[in-house]
Amino acid sequence: MPTQLLVPETLPAATAAETTTITALMAQTEAPLSGAPVPAPEAGAVLILLALLSPGEPKEPREK
Amino acid sequence: MPHQDTALMEDYARAADDLAGRLHRCLETPGSGAALADYVEGATDRRTALAAVRVLGPDVLAPALFGTRRIDPADREVLATALAHYPLDAGGTAETMCLDRVTTGLLHRAEGAVSGDGVAVDDAVDVDTFLRPEERWRPWAQQMAGVASCALPGVCGSLVEQARTRAADLGRGVARAMLRRDYRTAARLVRWTALADNNRAAVDQLNIEAVLRHLELCGSVNARLSLDVRIARLLRTRTRREGAG
């Protein structure tokens, strides 16, 4: 097994961006609250209002 | 974030997911999966592959610790190279120092260089300063999730003792994470509950088996989550076998 391929001297030194990225990936932060739908009872009144305000059915065109 | 850093984050995250998937397969089917050295040497970008090894830290030793794959000298050299090439001393946190301490400790045990009860982080990190025992359960549980890669066979010391002492708080953390659909945090806390073997009553209030099943069903596309769940299952089996013996 050619282990000299893995020897650090043959690889350029890690940059600050690389070590910062690794630190960020190792960190396990809390996930943001899920975007899954949550029950919102107050939305019912809004929906009823929108239904009342919506335009009515289009009338059949009169034959000319 | 500059474009180059975003691309770097994506590359390293993808490589870490790829390596996590390989480790998961190795844990599922003993003897399967490429050795670490083969993985790095076969990668198109060795630096990225080494970065993936660095990110996963102690978890790359999971197959050897659970007996599903031997770790040979070339694999140990890969891990040592990754640690040396990406030193985090300057920009590291207490959590990364814990993870590094466990990685090097387990590596030395695998080499037969040290013996004893297990690897403890206490000689490198003052655990009580960042994981204060009197801390409220929510921030405490989040910090335990941050060092959950230390929840492996052969690890002892303050981290494990805190997991055992505050098993009920681990359960609260799992329940909260599941309610928030933060499945990664839930999986990582379940790893710690597996080590709280002396406080089964507190842990069993939460149906850990149901939690694990839910995580397997909902999180199977996330490689690192799947790896945490697999390790949690193996820890539970191992802890119960040792308790029964």
Side-chain angles (χ1 to χ4, degrees):
Chain A
M1 175 77 66
T3 53
Q4 66 270 18
L5 291 169
L6 300 172
V7 170
E9 290 81 31
T10 65
L11 293 171
T15 64
E18 289 173 340
T19 52
T20 303
T21 303
I22 287 175
T23 305
L25 284 170
M26 287 172 81
Q28 300 295 329
T29 54
E30 194 172 76
L33 197 57
S34 164
V38 293
E42 67 274 14
V46 173
L47 288 172
I48 291 172
L49 189 62
L50 284 174
L52 290 172
L53 292 174
S54 63
E57 280 187 17
K59 294 191 177 70
E60 288 289 327
R62 264 182 275 170
E63 288 188 82
K64 294 213 172 148
Chain B
M1 183 185 285
H3 172 71
Q4 301 91 309
D5 290 349
T6 308
L8 197 64
M9 176 71 83
E10 287 173 1
D11 285 344
Y12 283 11
R14 201 175 310 120
D17 286 345
D18 181 38
L19 181 56
R22 289 165 183 264
L23 292 168
H24 183 266
R25 283 192 292 277
C26 196
L27 290 170
E28 292 245 276
T29 312
S32 73
L36 263 184
D38 295 334
Y39 163 72
V40 171
E41 201 170 340
T44 50
D45 184 350
R46 284 204 186 99
R47 291 167 66 88
T48 304
L50 279 179
V53 172
R54 191 72 177 87
V55 167
L56 294 184
D59 286 345
V60 301
L61 291 165
L65 294 168
F66 288 110
T68 59
R69 186 179 186 92
R70 279 184 56 248
I71 184 162
D72 52 32
D75 294 345
R76 294 199 292 265
E77 185 177 338
V78 164
L79 192 46
T81 302
L83 287 166
H85 188 64
Y86 293 109
L88 299 183
D89 310 318
T93 61
E95 286 82 0
T96 58
M97 287 173 66
C98 273
L99 295 169
D100 287 351
R101 177 65 189 93
V102 167
T103 305
T104 52
L106 291 173
L107 189 58
H108 291 156
R109 279 171 68 89
E111 292 167 341
V114 293
S115 58
D117 294 333
V119 175
V121 303
D122 304 79
D123 56 346
V125 181
D126 186 1
V127 173
D128 289 348
T129 57
F130 82 96
L131 262 177
R132 292 180 295 129
E134 69 276 12
E135 182 71 86
R136 288 172 299 122
W137 68 266
R138 265 180 57 179
W140 177 84
Q142 192 55 40
Q143 286 167 326
M144 285 295 279
V147 291
S149 289
C150 299
L152 286 168
V155 177
C156 62
S158 303
L159 290 178
V160 177
E161 285 311 308
Q162 287 213 26
R164 288 177 173 156
T165 307
R166 301 186 67 166
D169 288 340
L170 286 176
R172 292 183 181 101
V174 171
R176 176 173 179 269
M178 292 299 286
L179 286 169
R180 298 178 78 252
R181 294 182 177 84
D182 185 358
Y183 296 139
R184 285 230 51 205
T185 297
R188 296 177 76 72
L189 288 174
V190 169
R191 282 177 69 159
W192 283 119
T193 65
L195 292 183
D197 51 315
N198 68 331
N199 204 343
R200 290 251 58 90
V203 170
D204 288 344
Q205 286 181 15
L206 192 70
N207 190 337
I208 295 290
E209 186 55 41
V211 170
L212 285 171
R213 186 70 188 126
H214 189 99
L215 292 173
E216 284 166 348
L217 290 171
C218 296
S220 57
V221 295
N222 185 315
R224 292 181 71 179
L225 168 58
S226 296
L227 180 62
D228 284 327
V229 171
R230 186 71 194 144
I231 290 175
R233 277 209 181 276
L234 290 170
L235 277 171
R236 277 168 60 81
T237 306
R238 183 189 176 98
T239 303
R240 286 177 180 209
R241 195 167 51 227
E242 287 173 356

